[in-house]
Amino acid sequence: MTVAEENLAARARAAYEGGRLRWALGRAAVATALSAVALIGCPSQAAPAACAAALGVLVAACFWRGGAWARGARLGFAAGLAPCLLPAAARAAHACYSSLCLAMPAICVAAGVAAGLLLGWLGPRLRGHDDRRFWLAAASAVVLAGATGCLAAGLAGLGGMALGLLAGAAAPVIAARAA
Amino acid sequence: MERVAREALQRQLERLADGDRDAFHPVFVRLWPLLRGFAARCLPREEVEDAAQEALLRVFARAAEFDRRRDALSWVLGIAAYEIRTVRQRRRRRREHPEHALADRPDAGRSPEEIAVAADLERALGEALATLRPADAETLLAYARGERPDLPGPTFRKRVERALGRLRSAWRLNHDRR
C-alpha cells in the first residue's frame, strides 16, 4: 500500500468505528427507552432508572464491539423484556394499588422464569453460543433489564426474578441432558 | 466482478458488519479499486479520486448497517452511486452559481501578464455583450449576478441558453475578424 492508501485506510477505519458507535448508540437509545417504560407508575424510580441507564451503556458497548458480545446482549435484552415490563403492566392493570404490593414478587418470579426459559432454550441455538462472551453479555443484559422492572418491588422482587431466571434457564438444559 | 470475488466480498462485509475488525483490510483492498473504477466511469478524471474516497468512507461508516440478506456488491455500488450523484449535483450548482465558484477560488497573487490578459478578455466580453440585443444582455447579466427575474425557471433557463448561444456567435465573429 502507498502512503496515500495507508492514510485513506486510517480514515476509513475511523469512519467504520464512528459509524459503528453511532449505530450502537441508536440501538442503545431504543433499548433504554423500552426499559424506561418500566418506570411508569414506579413508586421509587432512582434505582430502576440507574439500571435502565446501565443497560443502555451495556447495550451500546456490546453492539459497538460486535460479534459474540452483540449477539449475547441482543438475546439477553429480549429475554429481559418480560421481567422488565410485566411489573409495569401489572401496575397499569391495577393489580397493585399501593407501594407495597404482595403480588409483585410472584410476578417477578414468573417473569424471571419466562426470561430464563427463553435464554436456556434459544441461547444454545444461536451462532456463537459456545463463546463465554456471549453468555456474559446475555446474563448482564437480562439481569439489568429485569432489575429495571423488578426493583420496583424491592429486594424481594429482585431476588424473585433471580430465582425464576435460574430455574427457567436450568429447565431446558436439564431437559436436553435427560433426552 | 467475478462470482468468486463477489462471494468473497459478501462474506467479508458480513464479518465486518458483525464487528469482526480482521475483515477490515480485505474489504478495503477489495473496495478501493472497485470504487475508483466505478467513479471513473461516471465522472471527469479530476473528480474521480475525491468521489471514490467519499464513497469508500461512506461505505465503511455504514458497514454496521449492512444486512446479510442483501447482496454486498449492490449495496456498495448503491452507496457509491449516491455519492457520485451528490458530486454531480454540487458541480451543477457551482456552474449555475458561478459567483460562488469564484468566491471559493483561492486568491493566488496574479502576475501583471495575467491581469492584462484578464482585462483583454473582459473588454472582449464587453464588446461581444454590446452586440447582443438588450434583452439578451440583461438576461445574461441577471444570470451572472444570480438574480432570477419574475419568470418560470424553465423559461429563464431557455432564455439564458439562447443568449449564451448568441454571445458565443458574437464572440467567434469578433475573434475571427481579429
Side-chain angles (χ1 to χ4, degrees), chain B residues 47-69:
Chain B
E47 287 175 353
V48 166
E49 199 81 2
D50 281 351
Q53 283 190 17
E54 284 297 317
L56 185 82
L57 294 180
R58 189 57 65 93
V59 167
F60 278 108
R62 294 184 55 187
E65 297 167 28
F66 175 67
D67 181 353
R68 57 175 58 238
R69 285 168 297 184

Side-chain angles (χ1 to χ4, degrees), chain A residues 101-176:
Chain A
C101 179
L102 294 176
M104 204 55 97
I107 291 170
C108 287
V109 171
V113 169
L117 278 173
L118 189 65
L119 268 188
W121 177 74
L122 198 57
R125 285 167 174 75
L126 291 179
R127 191 158 57 102
H129 70 273
D130 46 356
D131 193 330
R132 259 188 311 180
R133 291 170 297 180
F134 174 87
W135 290 108
L136 186 61
S140 308
V142 75
V143 166
L144 282 174
T148 306
C150 290
L151 260 181
L155 286 179
L158 196 61
M161 181 206 69
L163 279 177
L165 197 58
L166 284 175
V173 177
I174 292 166

Side-chain angles (χ1 to χ4, degrees), chain B residues 140-157:
Chain B
L140 285 178
L141 287 172
Y143 178 68
R145 283 195 294 262
E147 291 168 6
R148 287 283 148 90
D150 195 14
L151 284 171
T155 311
F156 181 60
R157 257 204 308 278

